Amino acid sequence: MRGAQKTAKGVSLYSRHINRPAGRVLAAGAYRLGLTPHQVTLVSAFFSFAAVAALALGRPSWGLAAAVYLGLAVGFAFDSADGQLARLRRESSPAGEWLDHIVDAAKITALHAAVLVSFHRFFDLPGPGWLLLPLGFQLAAVLIFTGGLLADKLKPKAAPAAAGTAPAAAPSRLRSVALLPVDYGVFCLVFLLLGSERAFLAGYTALFAVHVLFLAAFTAKWFRELTAIRPA
């Protein structure tokens, strides 16, 4: 499994030290059971969308908070497991990557849509304008996801390191800490506050503000990097 890991560059501490190790255990179990990477992706989708449905349909409570968080966290761990399993089985493919990204995009949009439904059905909001909050958060989250994905695809791939060259520098711990507020696993933690309307609204709003700030910073960085690329 060690050889089936992605680089830790640009990854937050949560994903590096919690989600990926959990995904490693799940990938090993899936390998022993003979599951394919596509099947693991669908298991991830099942847990994630079960949590989304519970959020939209259930009245907020501490029990619902635990159930929603657990579903999202387990789904996120399986989301890490499918790629590790594919690399372990040497079955990485464009179709598998496409399916993984489609599920991720659907999960992001559906989760914030479920928050909007919950706000409308169950929350005593200070005013109707607060219903725009999940829509704004959804927009910021989708732009961060698609912007980062496209930037990575459009950048020229680095040539493999030649034998005998110095190893790549270790990932920045400061950067991995700074990325925590926009890590999906950290975002899932806010749903543990669903038992208190005021606490959840405050936590969700704070994370929205952080995502907007990171979106501005990421967009400027990605555009600057892509502008520097000279056509061949």
Side-chain angles (χ1 to χ4, degrees), residues 26-107:
L26 294 174
Y31 181 82
R32 295 293 299 271
L33 291 173
L35 298 180
T36 68
H38 291 354
Q39 290 171 329
V40 174
T41 300
L42 294 179
V43 172
S44 170
F46 171 79
F47 279 100
S48 297
F49 290 109
V52 168
L55 174 62
L57 300 174
R59 183 172 295 277
S61 66
W62 293 115
L64 181 68
V68 170
Y69 170 73
L70 188 61
L72 294 175
V74 172
F76 190 37
F78 273 106
D79 185 34
S80 175
D82 60 2
Q84 296 186 53
L85 179 62
R87 290 186 291 275
L88 178 65
R89 292 170 53 124
R90 295 180 173 83
E91 293 180 357
S92 297
S93 67
E97 186 175 3
W98 175 85
L99 179 63
D100 183 59
H101 292 324
I102 284 292
V103 170
D104 285 343
K107 176 177 64 180

